[in-house]
Amino acid sequence: MEKMWAGRFNKSLNRLADDFNSSIHFDSRMYRQDITGSMAHAAMLSAKGIISKEDCSAIIDGLESILADIDNGVLLFDSEAEDIHMFVESELTKRIGDVGKKLHTARSRNDQVALDIRLYLRDEAKKITSLIKALLSAVAEQALKHRDAIMPGYTHLQRAQPVTFAHHLMAYAMMFIRDISRIEVAVKRMNVSPLGACALAGTTYDTDRNMTASALDFSGITLNSMDSVSDRDFCVELLSAFSILMMHLSRFSEEIILWSSWEFKFIELDDGYTTGSSIMPQKKNPDMAELVRGKTGRVYGDLMALLTILKGLPLAYNKDMQEDKESVFDAVDTVKQCLSVFAPMIATMTVCEDNMLKAAKDGFINATDLADYLVRKGIPFRTAYKCVGEIVGYCINNGFVLENLSFEKYKEFNSLFEEDLFDCISLQNCVNRRISEGGTGPESVKKQIEYVLEFLNDKKSFY
Ligand code: ARG
């Protein structure tokens, strides 16, 4: 196929070079955005008297028919085309004749592609945000179901203090709310139109960039034409937000994997989200969570590829930038896939409250509460801490736990102990007395869940 730019060349592009140069096999996914952008551009050209009304309606009708035919599978992408922009334009000219050749007035593929990616990412960010919200509501629902389930809270993966399962889940909810906020902010900054910047320097035509911007629902226009065509910050920002989101999903996955092991058995994943082994009949593997953890590396890789592609580029457009798309698309696809299985996996998991409680008991996770007990009797925390440390040491060496050590023994360690110490170290009381804001106490967790539910109902904004 002859290239649109063939005029100044004496021979055609080498076959391998042509394939190497072509991006149609991946940028065709932006056909809707490309065509919508072209429609807005044609309408502006006509409104400004740069093309006639008749030409404009022929162009718009032609573009509409192309869009419908691609949507219906009637028109297939030509693998010989250089990219989606060239494909649409040459198809238009095939359909409406020479009028189609007027569409590219006061425009370049450089501002066109910058526009298409913004439109594409704006759409995809919306879908990703609603997938995160679906996950958030699955998390909130599990938290509501298991509000009072006590489990060990860990530091260094060592049992630390008792918390409720709902409190633990709410920690993830806060991360996901921040993820949504990060995406929203990135989209807001991205939502300005580069269309009309042309190749790099603007144009000699009397165009109206604000008109195309508002037709395409942008909040404004980019202010420097060279920046408009060379900027991919918005891709980097979104992929950063996606990477952080994946990091959260990966941490959650790690816990799901640990919790579903026989050593923990805090949860049982639904059969629909686990797999068996080809050799070991007893196996039930948390593959979905493992894959999400693995795919996190892939999204980080996409971000790193993008940053590396951009780092040495002089202004303005360079063909290196064609390489942005596969990273961006891969990150979008991967994040969507991960969220789509993660939310129902969380919604359908069974929580083994008894096992959580069993793990929380007998592990000295109430030792801090015992020290606090002594503090309330009037001794300094550090002294109380030392005394309880000695009690714990004694218990470990003699096969006791804090709950079954005799009152007389306690008295030997410190005469301030009274019978009510046992009440104080009951796990339920340890949790109930964590009354500080944001703590694991029931009031605080209730508030956290309410915040998340209100956020999901659009009644709360980000903090
Ligand atoms: N396929 C190209 C890309 O994705 C479109 C822009 C081409 N511009 C150019 N001056 N060759 O970057």
Side-chain angles (χ1 to χ4, degrees):
M1 192 206 292
E2 187 175 73
K3 300 290 179 204
M4 284 185 199
W5 38 257
R8 61 99 64 222
F9 292 86
N10 295 322
K11 66 176 193 182
S12 57
L13 184 59
N14 167 280
R15 178 82 238 165
L16 283 175
D18 196 9
D19 287 347
F20 186 61
N21 190 47
S22 166
S23 55
I24 185 80
H25 65 281
F26 53 83
D27 64 18
S28 55
R29 77 156 78 187
M30 302 191 301
Y31 73 88
R32 179 175 309 283
Q33 291 79 12
D34 194 75
I35 293 173
T36 316
S38 288
M39 286 176 175
H41 181 63
M44 183 279 292
L45 290 179
S46 153
K48 296 297 287 180
I50 301 168
I51 61 171
S52 70
K53 282 202 171 59
E54 296 70 42
D55 286 352
C56 175
S57 40
I59 290 173
I60 290 183
D61 289 352
L63 289 170
E64 257 163 17
S65 74
I66 294 172
L67 182 59
D69 287 354
I70 298 176
D71 276 345
N72 300 329
V74 179
L75 175 62
L76 301 179
F77 298 114
D78 176 4
S79 59
E80 302 281 299
E82 192 173 322
D83 55 29
I84 185 62
H85 326 295
M86 293 298 209
F87 173 76
V88 172
E89 193 185 323
S90 67
E91 182 62 30
L92 181 68
T93 305
K94 250 191 238 163
R95 291 187 182 204
I96 66 168
D98 277 357
V99 177
K101 297 182 179 173
K102 297 188 178 180
L103 173 62
H104 213 52
T105 316
R107 187 177 74 169
S108 151
R109 270 186 298 162
N110 297 350
D111 57 342
Q112 198 177 345
V113 71
L115 173 76
D116 292 1
I117 315 174
R118 285 174 197 253
L119 291 174
Y120 169 81
L121 281 178
R122 200 173 67 179
D123 293 344
E124 294 302 318
K126 227 181 258 160
K127 294 181 204 160
I128 288 174
T129 296
S130 44
L131 287 170
I132 305 176
K133 285 190 173 172
L135 170 58
L136 198 51
S137 90
V139 168
E141 230 157 83
Q142 286 285 16
L144 278 171
K145 262 196 262 173
H146 303 286
R147 241 166 66 178
D148 305 320
I150 292 177
M151 68 181 286
Y154 297 84
T155 62
H156 313 268
L157 205 55
Q158 302 287 320
R159 291 169 188 169
Q161 290 179 346
V163 295
T164 60
F165 185 56
H167 189 55
H168 196 122
L169 287 178
M170 281 302 103
Y172 284 104
M174 300 307 152
M175 298 177 218
F176 297 136
I177 288 178
R178 289 198 296 275
D179 291 322
I180 292 173
S181 138
R182 255 178 226 112
I183 292 171
E184 188 176 294
V185 171
V187 168
K188 209 168 166 187
R189 208 181 344 263
M190 178 177 83
N191 198 30
V192 281
S193 172
L195 187 60
C198 301
L200 76 163
T203 181
T204 52
Y205 297 94
D206 177 24
T207 52
D208 183 349
R209 292 189 56 208
N210 283 302
M211 184 180 164
T212 44
S214 70
L216 295 168
D217 262 337
F218 283 106
S219 63
I221 58 169
T222 53
L223 296 180
N224 176 295
S225 62
M226 294 181 78
D227 179 49
S228 309
V229 292
S230 60
D231 169 36
R232 294 291 183 273
D233 290 4
F234 57 95
C235 298
V236 175
E237 285 191 357
L238 261 182
L239 262 54
S240 307
F242 293 164
S243 295
I244 297 173
L245 163 66
M246 289 301 297
M247 178 262 286
H248 295 152
L249 289 178
S250 188
R251 294 181 78 169
F252 206 168
S253 294
E254 172 66 13
E255 300 216 272
I256 297 288
I257 294 161
L258 280 174
W259 292 343
S260 54
S261 71
W262 281 108
E263 284 70 14
F264 279 79
K265 259 299 164 251
F266 286 1
I267 58 158
E268 169 98 29
L269 290 175
D270 186 79
D271 284 1
Y273 298 93
T274 44
T275 62
S277 153
S278 61
I279 171 170
M280 297 166 281
Q282 85 285 8
K283 290 299 286 293
K284 182 173 176 184
N285 297 328
D287 288 33
M288 307 309 131
E290 292 169 87
L291 276 171
V292 168
R293 192 175 57 184
K295 283 177 191 292
T296 302
R298 186 175 168 140
V299 174
Y300 291 1
D302 291 327
L303 170 64
M304 206 40 67
L306 189 60
L307 284 167
T308 312
I309 289 162
L310 294 170
K311 75 180 266 291
L313 300 186
L315 297 184
Y317 176 84
N318 299 270
K319 192 67 174 230
D320 315 44
M321 292 166 77
Q322 181 165 287
E323 286 291 309
D324 60 359
K325 276 168 250 19
E326 281 171 295
S327 297
V328 167
F329 296 160
D330 185 69
V332 165
D333 292 346
T334 308
V335 167
K336 277 162 68 183
Q337 254 189 337
C338 290
L339 287 166
S340 304
V341 292
F342 209 91
M345 179 182 76
I346 295 298
T348 55
M349 73 184 182
T350 306
V351 175
C352 312
E353 294 194 4
D354 290 350
N355 291 343
M356 288 182 172
L357 184 62
K358 205 152 81 205
K361 277 182 179 164
D362 309 340
F364 302 102
I365 67 175
N366 40 10
T368 315
D369 296 77
L370 190 61
D372 289 343
Y373 172 91
L374 287 177
V375 171
R376 277 196 299 277
K377 301 279 178 194
I379 65 174
F381 178 76
R382 201 42 80 207
T383 315
Y385 167 92
K386 183 163 178 278
C387 170
V388 173
E390 283 160 10
I391 297 173
V392 168
Y394 177 85
C395 286
I396 290 170
N397 292 332
N398 296 279
F400 291 106
V401 288
L402 295 180
E403 284 88 342
N404 65 11
L405 190 67
S406 70
F407 178 55
E408 290 66 41
K409 201 79 212 165
Y410 273 109
K411 276 285 201 201
E412 281 177 31
F413 280 99
N414 196 309
S415 59
L416 289 171
F417 279 122
E418 290 174 57
E419 292 273 7
D420 62 350
L421 83 94
F422 292 104
D423 235 18
C424 156
I425 59 171
S426 90
L427 295 186
Q428 192 62 61
N429 282 336
C430 294
V431 166
N432 287 350
R433 277 207 315 269
R434 293 271 182 306
I435 51 169
S436 59
E437 291 266 358
T440 200
E443 263 315 299
S444 155
V445 174
K446 185 166 163 259
K447 254 196 192 164
Q448 297 174 48
I449 300 175
E450 273 164 11
Y451 175 85
V452 172
L453 295 176
E454 282 180 24
F455 172 81
L456 283 170
N457 289 323
D458 291 328
K459 290 203 190 101
K460 271 271 185 309
S461 54
F462 311 111
Y463 56 88

